[in-house]
């Protein structure tokens, strides 16, 4: 056994996460061993068992923490994973007599053993254990473990929250938000009628009047919030803190009586507390279909940092936020005037939390000055924390510390769910919509994606674009419910029935006929004649089911009864692709690429030319890609040499 002297100092680390947040983490348990006796009382119920210490392994884990610099939430998850690994190593040593003292002692053969040992656990825990071991080995210059893949997740039978349930929940939150706005209006009205009560030394006569308490709070917090000491300096603490003085009558969902008492209650007449801000955050989540981490990524330090004008309509704005987990920006459209649309919600929160943000900016300046005098890692972490808070629209003043300002974070997901469930119960929605019984922040996105899937005609690609997922694999997680599987199974049965019906007629099974029969249920004699006549093909080599009646979004200026002049067939519901369509489609693709190279980017970006190219490229994916590439190269050569000219009559927008 390799013996390493225990040095607590090497395993008690101060980590500055990549986000800038600084926190302390103690990894000593992995060196001396984990024991129930040393577990905090609040966590004893979740303790899965003791494990022996492995000093070498503990040092490797400490090195991983210092190199990866995980966020505090990820740190807790990593330590949970390492505890699971150490318990598994104990089981291997007992059963097989093989000691595991460092990551180099872990072998490929132990992968199947761990799968068997974790049989009762979720496969995600096994995956996280394997990922952690591979990261440790990579930093030690060792090859990754050849462990088997985790077991496939069981198919979910839970039904998503349906559209009607979400709509009624949204309306319930709107009711709560109106109550909060009325509370702020009540505070402003009271303050306008009040006067200073500081001359009342008895703390009974003038301080008992709510309008005077509202006046003094409003007067002292016009620029920023004050802490307990500052309220005492201004002679307002004793009067506001008297027991029995009540603030607003309204209590937000899940808020205790503490929300209307003392200074904190008086502050709620003007500034949102935790549950107040949660109501508006829920409205934003339900309105955008974003998950919580994306909504928390909004940066409102500057207007351009979170919204931009829509390029084609002055009624809309484009809201954007950076999603750190996906390492990409997310976008959503919102109307700018309706009160409960996402844009107006964020605007309202920016205005309502202006004083809270000024408080954070004041404390940020103090922290920077303190750091300039004596720099430390902890102080730089405090600066990063305050900078992150200033950027957030989801600010609130805390009820347990006067004058303290904070913002919603990832850990608040566990508290947002109960707030929504309280709203469900208060408004009597549970009986009509049982799916709301366990509503959480992720359900808002699930329901939004489900709605997009159904509205798009169960079109996976369109749903992927609407949800802004990087790939289909991520989207499949949201489409596993029974409701969506039933549709897919019905479509498969429809294809099978149509194929055998065509076979029974004694004719050749034609893929084009098959697609039309599955999609429309029938083909008229006129449509069949037109599709078989090569002279009826469009400029892109496609057939058309209704050439005199193109959809309005394809040809907005179409004249009734005339043939379609636009012929943007790949994006049209009437277009039918044949095997022979490859040549015309490849030529159109080559022409568009040629045009893109010859015009300014500003003229190309966002135009119908760009949309047409994307649509044609997507259609060409159904052909053999080697043949597609060869045909496009052939047409591109002809265009470059001047043998043919590009078709340039596309409508431009």
């Amino acid at each position: 056994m390799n013996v390493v002297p225990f040095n607590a100092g090497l395993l008690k680390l101060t980590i500055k996460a990549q986000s800038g947040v600084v926190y302390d983490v103690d990894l000593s348990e992995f060196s001396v061993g984990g024991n129930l006796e040393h577990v905090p009382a609040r966590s004893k119920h979740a303790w899965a068992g003791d494990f022996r210490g492995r000093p070498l392994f503990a040092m490797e884990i400490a090195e991983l923490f210092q190199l990866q610099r995980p966020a505090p939430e990820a740190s807790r998850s990593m330590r949970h994973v390492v505890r699971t690994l150490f318990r598994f190593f104990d089981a291997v040593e007992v059963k097989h007599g093989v000691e595991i003292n460092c990551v180099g002692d872990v072998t490929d053969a132990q992968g199947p053993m761990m799968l068997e040992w974790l049989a009762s656990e979720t496969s995600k825990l096994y995956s996280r254990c394997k990922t952690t071991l591979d990261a440790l080995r990579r930093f030690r210059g060792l090859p990754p473990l050849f462990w088997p893949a985790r077991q496939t997740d069981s198919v979910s039978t839970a039904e998503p929250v349906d559209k009607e349930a979400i709509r009624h929940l949204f309306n319930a939150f709107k009711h709560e938000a109106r109550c909060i706005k009325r509370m702020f209006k009540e505070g402003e009205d009271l303050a306008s009628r009040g006067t200073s009560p500081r001359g009342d030394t008895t703390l009974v006569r003038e301080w008992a009047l709510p309008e005077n308490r509202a006046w003094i709070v409003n007067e002292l917090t016009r620029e920023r919030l004050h802490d307990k000491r500052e309220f005492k300096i201004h002679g307002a603490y004793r009067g506001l803190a008297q027991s029995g003085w009540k603030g607003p009558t309204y209590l937000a969902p899940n808020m205790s009586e503490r929300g209307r008492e003392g200074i904190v209650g008086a502050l709620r007449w003007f500034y949102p507390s935790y549950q107040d801000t949660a109501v508006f955050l829920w409205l934003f989540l339900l309105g955008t279909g974003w998950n919580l981490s994306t909504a928390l990524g909004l940066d409102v330090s500057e207007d351009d940092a979170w919204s931009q004008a829509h390029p084609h309509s002055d009624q809309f704005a484009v809201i954007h936020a950076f999603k750190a987990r996906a390492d990409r920006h997310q976008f959503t459209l919102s109307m700018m005037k309706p009160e409960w649309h996402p844009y107006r919600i964020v605007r309202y929160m920016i205005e309502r939390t202006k004083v809270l943000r000024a408080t954070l900016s004041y404390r940020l300046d103090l922290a920077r000055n303190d750091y300039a005098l004596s720099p430390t890692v902890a102080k730089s972490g405090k600066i990063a924390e305050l900078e992150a808070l200033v950027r957030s629209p989801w600010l609130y003043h805390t009820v347990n510390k006067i004058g303290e300002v904070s913002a919603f974070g990832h850990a608040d997901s566990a508290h947002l769910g109960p707030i929504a469930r309280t709203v469900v119960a208060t408004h009597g929605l549970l009986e009509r919509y049982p799916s709301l019984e366990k509503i959480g922040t992720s359900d808002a996105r699930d329901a939004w994606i489900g709605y997009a899937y159904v509205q798009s005609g169960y079109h996976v690609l369109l749903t992927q674009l609407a949800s802004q997922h990087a790939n289909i694999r991520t989207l499949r997680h949201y489409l596993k419910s029974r409701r969506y599987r039933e549709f897919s199974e019905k479509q498969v049965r429809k294809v099978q029935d149509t194929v055998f019906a065509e076979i029974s007629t004694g004719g050749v099974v034609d893929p084009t006929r098959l697609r039309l029969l599955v999609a429309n249920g029938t083909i008229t004699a006129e449509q069949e004649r037109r599709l078989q006549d090569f002279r009826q093909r469009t400029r892109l080599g496609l057939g058309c089911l209704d050439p005199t009646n193109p959809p309005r979004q394809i040809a907005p200026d179409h004249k009734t009864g005339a043939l379609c002049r636009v012929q943007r067939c790949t994006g049209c519901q009437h277009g039918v692709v044949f095997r022979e369509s490859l040549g015309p489609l490849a030529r159109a693709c080559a022409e568009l690429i040629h045009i893109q190279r010859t015009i300014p980017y500003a003229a190309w970006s966002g135009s119908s030319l760009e949309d047409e190219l994307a649509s044609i490229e997507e259609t060409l994916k159904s052909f053999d890609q080697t043949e597609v590439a060869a045909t496009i190269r052939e047409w591109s050569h002809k265009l470059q040499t001047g043998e043919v000219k590009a078709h340039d009559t596309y409508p431009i927008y």
Side-chain angles (χ1 to χ4, degrees):
M1 178 185 295
N2 294 307
V3 179
V4 176
F6 174 65
N7 186 335
L10 296 177
L11 298 174
K12 293 182 178 179
L13 310 175
T14 297
I15 301 294
K16 184 175 182 180
Q18 296 181 24
S19 62
V21 176
V22 175
Y23 64 95
D24 294 324
V25 60
D26 187 354
L27 304 176
S28 302
E29 61 178 312
F30 302 119
S31 182
V32 300
N35 193 292
L36 180 62
E37 296 178 3
H38 303 138
V39 178
R42 66 179 182 276
S43 304
K44 287 184 183 293
H45 70 283
W47 186 250
D50 297 349
F51 53 85
R52 82 168 179 86
R54 293 171 171 79
L56 272 177
F57 224 126
M59 297 298 293
E60 291 172 334
I61 294 164
E63 182 182 20
L64 179 66
F65 267 76
Q66 291 171 320
L67 291 171
Q68 285 195 337
R69 298 185 294 135
E73 298 84 3
S75 165
R76 287 190 287 270
S77 176
M78 285 176 65
R79 281 177 284 154
H80 171 68
V81 166
V82 175
R83 291 185 195 109
T84 302
L85 284 168
F86 275 33
R87 293 181 184 115
F88 166 66
F89 296 156
D90 287 350
V92 170
E93 290 174 357
V94 170
K95 187 173 183 179
H96 300 282
V98 178
E99 283 197 357
I100 302 174
N101 296 310
C102 63
V103 72
D105 294 337
V106 184
T107 66
D108 295 339
Q110 286 151 4
M113 295 181 195
M114 188 166 198
L115 270 177
E116 182 181 353
W117 185 74
L118 284 173
S120 61
E121 299 286 343
T122 64
S123 59
K124 290 182 179 178
L125 181 56
Y126 167 80
S127 179
R128 295 211 303 268
C129 288
K130 182 178 182 298
T131 300
T132 301
L133 285 174
D134 282 343
L136 284 165
R137 292 174 67 87
R138 183 169 64 252
F139 287 128
R140 305 302 293 176
L142 299 171
L145 291 167
F146 188 68
W147 279 20
R150 69 183 179 94
Q151 297 174 353
T152 305
D153 293 334
S154 57
V155 177
S156 171
T157 58
E159 290 301 306
V161 181
D162 61 48
K163 177 183 68 173
E164 286 301 307
I166 288 294
R167 184 168 65 84
H168 281 84
L169 178 61
F170 186 79
N171 289 336
F173 270 113
K174 282 200 300 185
H175 171 79
E176 300 296 335
R178 289 189 182 102
C179 291
I180 294 170
K181 289 187 175 184
R182 283 197 293 269
M183 176 182 71
F184 294 145
K185 182 67 167 59
E186 175 192 357
E188 291 165 1
D189 290 343
L190 286 171
S192 67
R193 302 197 305 269
T195 58
S196 175
R198 282 179 283 194
D200 178 15
T201 57
T202 65
L203 304 179
V204 175
R205 188 177 63 259
E206 297 296 329
W207 286 101
L209 300 177
E211 55 265 36
N212 290 345
R213 297 198 304 276
W215 183 92
I216 192 69
V217 168
N218 185 52
E219 183 68 20
L220 293 178
T221 62
R222 288 184 184 278
E223 295 184 359
R224 62 176 178 85
L225 298 191
H226 293 312
D227 58 21
K228 181 177 179 179
R229 180 186 61 83
E230 290 172 310
F231 272 108
K232 287 182 176 180
I233 292 173
H234 290 288
Y237 176 75
R238 289 183 61 206
L240 289 171
Q242 286 294 304
S243 61
W245 297 161
K246 299 293 185 182
T249 55
Y250 172 77
L251 289 177
N254 264 23
M255 181 176 281
S256 68
E257 283 292 324
R258 182 75 179 88
R260 61 161 63 107
E261 295 176 348
I263 295 178
V264 169
L267 284 172
R268 283 189 64 237
W269 267 321
F270 305 97
Y271 314 111
S273 190
Y274 184 89
Q275 288 84 354
D276 302 317
T277 297
V279 168
F280 290 94
L281 177 53
W282 261 111
L283 285 170
F284 183 83
L285 293 174
L286 293 170
T288 59
W290 282 2
N291 54 32
L292 180 61
S293 63
T294 308
L296 297 179
L298 279 173
D299 177 0
V300 299
S301 56
E302 300 286 345
D303 279 350
D304 288 347
W306 70 276
S307 72
Q308 292 177 337
H310 192 280
H312 303 303
S313 173
D314 58 3
Q315 297 182 25
F316 287 86
V318 180
I319 301 174
H320 55 90
F322 185 74
K323 186 177 181 181
R325 188 176 63 185
D327 194 28
R328 58 188 300 199
H329 274 82
Q330 298 285 299
F331 300 86
T332 190
L333 295 181
S334 171
M335 295 190 74
M336 299 175 68
K337 292 184 179 180
E339 181 181 11
W340 303 112
H341 280 228
Y343 178 84
R344 294 297 303 168
I345 290 171
V346 177
R347 276 284 177 209
Y348 180 79
M349 288 304 298
I350 292 173
E351 183 62 29
R352 182 50 63 178
T353 60
K354 185 185 298 182
V355 170
L356 304 185
R357 190 164 290 101
T359 304
L360 291 170
S361 297
Y362 170 77
R363 290 169 186 170
L364 176 59
D365 290 339
L366 293 179
R368 285 171 174 162
N369 293 336
D370 187 28
Y371 180 81
L373 293 173
S374 57
T376 65
V377 174
K379 290 178 180 179
S380 69
K382 183 64 176 177
I383 290 172
E385 179 184 347
L386 288 169
E387 287 174 340
L389 292 176
V390 168
R391 291 192 294 267
S392 174
W394 314 116
L395 300 179
Y396 59 89
H397 67 89
T398 62
V399 297
N400 55 358
K401 188 174 182 182
I402 297 170
E404 188 72 13
V405 178
S406 190
F408 275 80
H410 300 286
D412 290 299
S413 176
H415 303 292
L416 285 167
I419 288 173
R421 292 192 283 275
T422 298
V423 172
V424 169
T426 303
H427 291 262
L429 300 178
L430 192 56
E431 186 175 344
R432 293 174 60 189
Y433 306 107
S435 59
L436 293 175
E437 181 180 6
K438 297 182 179 179
I439 184 77
T441 55
S442 63
D443 291 307
R445 182 156 179 79
D446 292 349
W448 194 90
I449 291 175
Y451 177 74
Y453 188 46
V454 173
Q455 290 299 111
S456 66
Y458 299 90
H459 198 297
V460 174
L461 178 60
L462 292 179
T463 308
Q464 180 192 344
L465 293 172
S467 60
Q468 300 177 65
H469 282 132
N471 52 60
I472 297 293
R473 181 181 177 184
T474 308
L475 178 63
R476 285 174 182 163
H477 164 76
Y478 293 90
L479 304 180
K480 287 181 178 177
S481 71
R482 185 187 308 144
R483 184 191 310 169
Y484 306 140
R485 294 201 313 276
E486 284 179 355
F487 172 81
S488 301
E489 291 163 1
K490 186 186 297 183
Q491 290 298 101
V492 171
R493 287 195 297 272
K494 190 184 291 187
V495 171
Q496 292 173 338
D497 293 343
T498 305
V499 168
F500 286 110
E502 287 288 282
I503 292 174
S504 66
T505 64
V508 176
V509 178
D510 181 82
T512 302
R513 276 183 56 85
L514 199 62
R515 187 185 75 81
L516 292 173
L517 287 169
V518 169
N520 304 331
T522 183
I523 302 176
T524 66
E526 171 64 19
Q527 288 175 341
E528 189 164 5
R529 182 192 63 77
R530 189 183 304 114
L531 293 175
Q532 290 176 348
D533 187 350
F534 278 84
R535 295 172 300 175
Q536 299 285 341
R537 301 288 168 85
T538 70
R539 67 177 178 84
L540 295 182
L542 273 66
C544 184
L545 296 177
D546 196 352
T548 61
N549 189 30
R552 187 170 185 82
Q553 65 270 24
I554 296 294
D557 300 323
H558 177 73
K559 294 181 180 179
T560 304
L563 287 174
C564 175
R565 298 178 60 189
V566 176
Q567 295 190 19
R568 290 168 54 202
C569 309
T570 54
C572 179
Q573 64 196 47
H574 299 323
V576 181
V577 181
F578 296 92
R579 187 182 301 276
E580 317 75 72
S581 303
L582 172 59
L585 284 170
R587 175 175 180 169
C589 184
E591 289 176 343
L592 285 165
I593 294 172
H594 179 76
I595 292 172
Q596 182 184 14
R597 292 169 177 167
T598 57
I599 66 175
Y601 176 76
W604 171 268
S605 180
S607 70
S608 63
L609 300 175
E610 185 179 39
D611 292 343
E612 185 87 5
L613 178 59
S615 178
I616 290 175
E617 287 178 336
E618 194 64 37
T619 304
L620 285 170
K621 288 181 180 179
S622 60
F623 294 91
D624 178 78
Q625 293 305 293
T626 304
E627 190 175 357
V628 169
T631 310
I632 291 177
R633 279 197 304 271
E634 180 183 347
W635 282 109
S636 295
H637 177 72
K638 292 180 179 180
L639 288 164
Q640 291 170 4
T641 58
E643 184 177 343
V644 296
K645 290 186 177 181
H647 184 276
D648 60 355
T649 59
Y650 301 98
I652 295 183
Y653 52 76

